[in-house]
């Protein structure tokens, strides 16, 4: 046999036939070669030679095809058959509840910096109320995304798991009513109703973010609303409420609490932004114009990088301007490796829907670590200097 057939890389039967035809056409030394006639004349000979001389090649082709098919079937099977335990864990979204913990903790730490007082019982009451509010956000989000079809393929949706849209909606409303009652009771007990105004504004931001007739998240406004709700509104509201334990009753609005609330809102909005990466196609189909639908995942990855850089730039600015104690600057700077990990993961995985799903959980880790470092820095500043207090921007919140 000609050495041409020894160099076949792919082992394709079509390549074997083509090379065999060309070989015989050249050796015949005719001025022209009718491929159709030649194939008809030597078809039987070609089939015999192909089967006898190249069984290994044919077996390789069949093996490659069967292997690729089996991989596709296995991939589809893994994608379709996610264990129920994993679906329940995703539906609960336990790590996401850090967004209830961090604003309360940072706000309480800022109040402690001003007053030197802390009530653990009151803290637990507010934490339970905050968790109920976040549960309402999660459940109602699943309900309204179910209505628009955004969650039709989302197996971890609570509505899809329970099979009841009405039951999920009733549970969401119950959590909202119970959580808001807890916040109101705490504010009345502390004698500071100004704080409940801030917390009510935070809840309103959550409502217009996802609930009809507003649904501003479908217009790409979810991140600004998330920033305002969990940053300036919630963190400042908890600061005012926790400060009511002191003899001052009403704390002044300081640069420290405003700076801290901006940083908290920034990391919270980053979680929401990264949660869109694996939902771009589904969001586009139902007309949900999230930032990732508008920008694309490649530009979205660059936005994440810029956002993390801005986070630590703001930290440095607030620390060096003494809006935040230097202890906050030092402790929060220790979370930079986590921020760098978020950037690298998003840039490396933004095209892979299976991997990029974890991006929001990396952001949750950054959010939690940064919040703990920020609160610890505020508490440590008071412990190192008991006379430390921030200068007020406004004397008393009206």
């Amino acid at each position: 046999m000609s050495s041409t057939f020894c160099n076949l890389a792919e082992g394709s039967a079509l390549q074997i036939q083509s090379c065999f035809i060309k070989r015989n056409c050249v050796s015949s030394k005719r001025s022209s070669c009718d491929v159709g006639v030649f194939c008809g004349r030597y078809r039987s000979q070609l089939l015999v030679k192909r089967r006898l001389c190249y069984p290994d090649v044919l077996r390789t082709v069949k093996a490659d095809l069967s292997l690729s098919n089996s991989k596709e079937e296995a991939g589809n099977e893994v994608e379709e058959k996610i264990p129920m335990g994993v679906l329940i864990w995703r539906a609960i979204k336990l790590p996401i509840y850090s967004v209830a913990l961090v604003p309360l903790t940072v706000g309480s730490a800022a109040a402690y910096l001003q007053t030197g007082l802390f009530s653990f019982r009151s803290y637990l009451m507010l934490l339970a109320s905050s968790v109920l509010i976040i549960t309402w956000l999660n459940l109602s989000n699943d309900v309204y995304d179910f209505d628009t079809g955004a969650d039709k393929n989302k197996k971890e949706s609570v509505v899809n798991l329970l099979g009841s849209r009405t039951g999920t909606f009733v549970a969401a409303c119950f959590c909202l009513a119970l959580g808001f009652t807890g916040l109101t009771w705490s504010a009345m007990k502390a004698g500071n109703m100004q704080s409940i105004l801030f917390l009510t504004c935070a809840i309103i931001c959550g409502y217009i973010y996802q609930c009809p007739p507003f649904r501003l998240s479908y217009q790409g406004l979810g991140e600004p609303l998330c920033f305002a709700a969990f940053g300036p509104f919630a963190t400042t509201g908890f600061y005012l409420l926790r400060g009511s334990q002191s003899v001052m009753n009403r704390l002044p609005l300081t640069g420290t609490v405003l700076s801290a609330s901006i940083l908290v809102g920034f990391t919270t909005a980053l979680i929401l932004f990264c949660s869109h990466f694996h939902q771009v196609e589904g969001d586009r189909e139902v007309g949900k114009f999230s930032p990732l639908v508008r920008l694309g995942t490649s530009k979205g990855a660059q936005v994440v990088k810029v956002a993390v850089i801005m986070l630590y730039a703001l930290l440095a600015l607030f620390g060096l301007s003494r809006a935040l104690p230097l202890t906050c600057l030092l402790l929060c700077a220790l979370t930079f490796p986590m921020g760098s990990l978020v950037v690298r993961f998003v840039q490396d995985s933004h095209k892979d829907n299976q991997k990029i799903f974890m991006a929001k959980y990396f952001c949750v880790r950054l959010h939690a670590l940064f919040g703990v470092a920020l609160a610890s820095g505020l508490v440590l500043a008071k412990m190192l200097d008991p006379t430390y207090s921030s200068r007020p921007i406004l004397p008393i919140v009206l």
Side-chain angles (χ1 to χ4, degrees), residues 10-11 16 50-64:
E10 300 293 334
I16 296 172
R50 186 171 60 188
R51 292 172 182 171
L52 294 178
C53 299
Y54 312 110
D56 294 335
V57 174
L58 295 177
R59 280 197 298 270
T60 301
V61 173
K62 293 179 180 179
D64 290 341

Side-chain angles (χ1 to χ4, degrees), residues 24-318:
N24 283 277
C25 287
V26 174
S27 62
S28 63
K29 297 182 181 181
R30 296 177 181 176
S31 60
S32 62
C33 181
D34 190 336
V35 176
V37 175
F38 180 83
C39 289
R41 184 177 179 182
Y42 292 99
R43 181 177 299 170
S44 60
Q45 297 180 18
L46 177 62
L47 292 174
V48 172
K49 290 181 179 181
R50 186 171 60 188
R51 292 172 182 171
L52 294 178
C53 299
Y54 312 110
D56 294 335
V57 174
L58 295 177
R59 280 197 298 270
T60 301
V61 173
K62 293 179 180 179
D64 290 341
L65 291 175
S66 62
L67 180 61
S68 62
N69 290 334
S70 63
K71 286 182 177 180
E72 291 178 0
E73 293 174 358
N76 293 333
E77 184 178 357
V78 170
E79 184 176 355
E80 293 175 359
K81 295 183 179 180
I82 301 176
M84 181 57 67
V86 175
L87 292 177
I88 293 175
W89 172 257
R90 291 181 179 180
I92 295 174
K93 303 174 184 176
L94 188 60
I96 302 298
Y97 284 86
S98 64
V99 300
L101 179 67
V102 171
L104 172 59
T105 304
V106 173
S108 299
Y112 176 80
L113 181 66
Q114 287 294 110
T115 66
L117 300 175
F118 180 81
S119 172
F120 189 69
R121 179 180 299 180
S122 175
Y123 177 87
L124 290 180
M125 179 65 185
L126 291 173
L127 179 61
S129 300
S130 300
V131 168
L132 288 170
I133 297 296
I134 300 302
T135 303
W136 161 71
L137 282 173
N138 289 334
L139 292 179
S140 59
N141 182 68
D142 283 356
V143 168
Y144 295 121
D145 279 350
F146 175 82
D147 292 341
T148 60
D151 280 358
K152 63 180 180 179
N153 297 322
K154 188 177 179 182
K155 297 180 180 180
E156 65 268 22
S157 168
V158 176
V159 178
N160 292 334
L161 285 175
L162 297 180
S164 174
R165 188 260 187 204
T166 303
T168 306
F169 180 72
V170 171
C173 293
F174 177 76
C175 290
L176 174 61
L178 195 59
F180 187 74
T181 300
L183 294 177
T184 304
W185 181 82
S186 297
M188 293 178 63
K189 184 180 179 181
N192 188 333
M193 297 306 295
Q194 286 82 2
S195 60
I196 202 64
L197 295 178
F198 279 84
L199 298 175
T200 300
C201 288
I203 295 173
I204 291 174
C205 286
Y207 183 87
I208 64 177
Y209 161 75
Q210 61 191 6
C211 300
F214 307 100
R215 288 178 176 164
L216 295 185
S217 62
Y218 281 68
Q219 307 304 319
L221 298 176
E223 282 69 20
L225 289 171
C226 182
F227 169 84
F230 293 96
F233 286 139
T235 304
T236 306
F238 285 128
Y239 159 79
L240 295 173
L241 185 56
R242 300 287 287 152
S244 298
Q245 304 165 13
S246 69
V247 294
M248 297 171 62
N249 192 31
R250 295 177 183 177
L251 289 181
L253 196 60
T254 66
T256 298
V257 68
L258 289 179
S259 300
S261 67
I262 289 173
L263 296 176
V264 170
F266 214 92
T267 56
T268 310
L270 188 60
I271 297 175
L272 179 60
F273 184 86
C274 288
S275 69
H276 298 308
F277 272 102
H278 69 290
Q279 298 176 331
V280 172
E281 295 302 326
D283 288 345
R284 184 180 289 113
E285 289 177 1
V286 299
K288 185 176 181 179
F289 296 102
S290 67
L292 269 300
V293 171
R294 298 176 184 274
L295 296 174
T297 58
S298 296
K299 291 183 179 179
Q302 296 303 315
V303 170
V304 172
K305 181 178 180 178
V306 172
V308 172
I309 293 174
M310 286 183 61
L311 173 66
Y312 289 98
L314 286 173
L315 172 66
L317 176 64
F318 294 151

Side-chain angles (χ1 to χ4, degrees), residues 114 252-256 321-323 388-394:
Q114 287 294 110
L253 196 60
T254 66
T256 298
S321 64
R322 299 299 178 91
Y388 186 97
S389 62
S390 302
R391 291 193 299 263
I393 296 178
L394 297 175

